Amino acid sequence: MKDYLFLKKQDKDIYEAVMGEEKREAEGLELIPSENYVSRAVREANGSVLTNKYSEGYPGKRYYGGQEFTDEVENIAIERAKKLFSCKFANVQPLSGAPANVAMYFALLEPGDTVLGMDLSHGGHLTHGHPVTSISKVFRFVRYKMKDTSTGEIDYDELRKTAKKEKPKMMLAGFSAYSRELDYKKIASIAREVGAYSVADMAHIAGLIAGKAVKNPFDYGFDVITTTTHKTLRGPRGGMILTRADKEIAKKIDKAVFPGLQGGPHMNNIAAKAVCFAEALTPAFRKYAKQILKNAKAMEGVFLKKGVRMLGGGTSNHLILLDVYGSLGITGAEAETVLDEVGMTLNKNVIADDTRSPMDPSGIRFGTPAITTRGFKESECKRVAELMLLTLENKDNAKKKKEIHSEIKRMCKKFPVPDKFV
Ligand SMILES: *Cc1c(COP(=O)(O)O)cnc(C)c1O
């Protein structure tokens, strides 16, 4: 590989691991819904000399000199982010999704304050106050759930009652394992009623929002959005915090990111975010976002036909949660392992009110962002869903699994990982 000339000469061990990963990504089906393939341009920006520079502070207000180019990079990233998500303020410095959330909590809350967020087994994320996180020792997290796991609908009446009783300072909408859309209007209005901030964590669906394939919480009055940039948005690993309109909130967020939580921003990473935002502003990206949804629907069709239970009864976004234990008698961990053997990478996942343990839960979670980047359309995605079920049905049949693996390798060859999108 031309790209890695110096690495190859200097450090064989790491070079070989990188090459191994490149091959793995090229030859297998990436179905983990939080993963994607970035463009070469994004990788070049991320691997640039900007990694050498300290830029503590914000554009025009830095602690060190030599910022003529870093200021330009950060300002461009901010302007593009604002345009992409229709908001007035953007902080592009968070190192990833989890630190973005930590900074956001400290910006808007006092220790001991209550946050009302989605139940973790119903789709919420670790960073929404799971007991294993440090943040759960600082703030008080209260939960809301789905009313009916066969439709995925949230119990909004219950949510309103809980909000009135618990008096949260923040209402949190966002998920990493939920396949339906939330009613942002209802959540924002309940937040207003009880005097809480409304915050959406759109880490998973940022690309779908940017591509206008799903609703933008800002259109329904949400105050703040936190996100990652490396999932459906198809950028470098990183985070971001957006503020719809309120300058005071935006100021608090800037202070909470730096100096509240972080030191120097990773300017190479911010440059790569800017490149990804420009890609996401193109018509081609809108098409991509819509295709992600169509492809998930095509997979849904297969599971509906075969009567395999999907949490929420199906999908309105990029991901599907299958109750493989309930429907097929195979545990999530076992399903993850067998599917990996035939070249399909996805993850085991707890399902709503799971009776099994998180290390071997009842479900698996997968999605279409990465295979859509490869160019898969509905017919290929339908076949992928069929192959998943075929693999699970033949989990002890080595010959059958070999055939399936060959078919998957052929599909991957036919749809190579692209270098560019614009
Ligand atoms: C992925 C995710 C995060 C965490 O992002 P990291 O970059 O892994 O720290 C936070 N919130 C939600 C909803 C996520 O899906």
Side-chain angles (χ1 to χ4, degrees):
M1 284 302 278
K2 195 158 102 265
D3 301 2
Y4 299 100
L5 281 179
F6 287 83
L7 185 61
K8 188 178 180 182
K9 271 214 170 117
Q10 184 177 318
D11 194 327
K12 271 268 177 304
D13 297 339
I14 294 298
Y15 172 77
E16 270 160 26
V18 172
M19 288 304 105
E21 174 64 13
E22 196 159 309
K23 188 165 178 304
R24 190 194 69 80
E25 289 183 15
E27 292 180 359
L29 285 184
E30 187 49 74
L31 295 167
I32 295 173
S34 50
E35 294 189 11
N36 217 328
Y37 305 106
V38 303
S39 68
R40 284 287 184 107
V42 163
R43 275 165 50 196
E44 282 178 2
N46 210 25
S48 71
V49 291
L50 286 160
T51 195
N52 297 333
K53 186 72 194 121
Y54 246 113
S55 312
E56 284 172 322
Y58 289 100
K61 293 169 287 198
R62 307 280 191 193
Y63 287 76
Y64 302 119
Q67 308 289 352
E68 54 268 50
F69 301 108
T70 50
D71 275 7
E72 196 174 328
V73 163
E74 188 165 350
N75 279 326
I76 291 172
I78 289 169
E79 288 313 309
R80 289 177 184 170
K82 282 160 38 180
K83 193 167 169 204
L84 199 52
F85 294 101
S86 311
C87 60
K88 287 225 170 80
F89 305 95
N91 187 310
V92 295
Q93 294 194 2
L95 303 175
S96 213
N101 280 345
V102 172
M104 178 276 293
Y105 292 134
F106 277 101
L108 304 177
L109 304 173
E110 295 296 328
D113 279 353
T114 299
V115 180
L116 184 48
M118 202 158 169
D119 189 88
L120 303 168
S121 83
H122 285 234
H125 191 260
L126 266 180
T127 58
H128 302 169
H130 191 285
V132 300
T133 61
S134 316
I135 209 74
S136 71
K137 300 187 180 81
V138 183
F139 306 109
R140 185 174 156 262
F141 289 87
V142 184
R143 308 282 166 211
Y144 60 91
K145 290 186 173 195
M146 288 183 258
K147 180 160 64 183
D148 180 353
T149 56
S150 73
T151 62
E153 203 195 336
I154 301 295
D155 196 338
Y156 290 102
D157 294 333
E158 194 57 42
L159 174 59
R160 189 158 173 272
K161 269 191 220 151
T162 312
K164 290 200 143 174
K165 180 166 153 262
E166 303 286 352
K167 302 191 174 31
K169 285 279 175 57
M170 179 182 294
M171 300 268 295
L172 198 53
F175 47 81
S176 53
Y178 179 71
S179 58
R180 296 298 189 185
E181 264 200 298
L182 296 172
D183 190 334
Y184 297 121
K185 197 172 159 192
K186 266 192 192 146
I187 298 172
S189 93
I190 296 170
R192 229 171 286 127
E193 207 179 318
V194 300
Y197 290 110
S198 47
V199 176
D201 177 355
M202 60 174 192
H204 256 258
I205 56 168
L208 306 179
I209 293 172
K212 309 220 183 297
V214 302
K215 292 176 192 148
N216 183 342
F218 282 149
D219 293 341
Y220 302 88
F222 265 65
D223 299 314
V224 170
I225 288 178
T226 61
T227 185
T228 62
T229 49
H230 50 273
K231 298 182 183 176
T232 48
L233 195 51
R234 206 160 62 182
R237 304 203 80 73
M240 172 162 69
I241 307 175
L242 306 166
T243 304
R244 180 170 53 88
D246 188 317
K247 194 169 178 184
E248 292 311 308
I249 292 180
K251 269 192 196 159
K252 285 182 188 175
I253 283 169
D254 282 351
K255 274 192 196 153
V257 173
F258 175 84
L261 178 69
Q262 297 182 177
H266 297 185
M267 272 304 162
N268 56 317
N269 183 252
I270 292 174
K273 285 174 189 170
V275 173
C276 131
F277 298 157
E279 289 176 2
L281 281 162
T282 60
F285 191 87
R286 280 197 192 186
K287 241 175 119 181
Y288 164 64
K290 297 206 166 77
Q291 191 65 47
I292 291 176
L293 261 62
K294 286 188 208 163
N295 285 350
K297 276 281 171 208
M299 295 184 82
E300 171 194 80
V302 174
F303 302 118
L304 278 177
K305 205 168 130 198
K306 297 267 177 164
V308 186
R309 178 174 176 242
M310 286 173 279
L311 274 291
T315 182
S316 314
N317 59 23
H318 62 302
L319 70 82
I320 291 174
L321 257 168
L322 272 196
D323 178 4
V324 282
Y325 190 69
S327 291
L328 308 166
I330 302 170
T331 73
E334 200 182 354
E336 179 189 295
T337 306
V338 213
L339 290 165
D340 209 28
E341 280 168 23
V342 299
M344 293 193 246
T345 310
L346 46 68
N347 63 278
K348 59 181 178 288
N349 214 97
V350 290
I351 61 171
D353 307 314
D354 209 326
T355 51
R356 301 184 55 84
S357 78
M359 282 320 288
D360 194 6
S362 300
I364 53 173
R365 184 191 72 151
F366 49 90
T368 52
I371 54 176
T372 306
T373 291
R374 284 187 101 123
F376 279 31
K377 295 272 177 10
E378 289 92 325
S379 61
E380 289 82 23
C381 291
K382 179 168 171 272
R383 185 64 189 149
V384 171
E386 287 167 0
L387 289 176
M388 279 174 69
L389 292 182
L390 205 60
T391 307
L392 295 176
E393 282 159 16
N394 291 281
K395 66 184 169 64
D396 301 315
N397 182 340
K399 185 165 166 276
K400 191 78 199 167
K401 283 196 290 186
K402 206 165 158 231
E403 277 169 34
I404 295 170
H405 199 177
S406 302
E407 182 172 343
I408 285 170
K409 280 190 189 153
R410 282 198 302 276
M411 284 174 104
C412 291
K413 251 211 169 109
K414 195 169 158 200
F415 293 89
V417 178
D419 281 332
K420 62 191 182 77
F421 311 115
V422 290

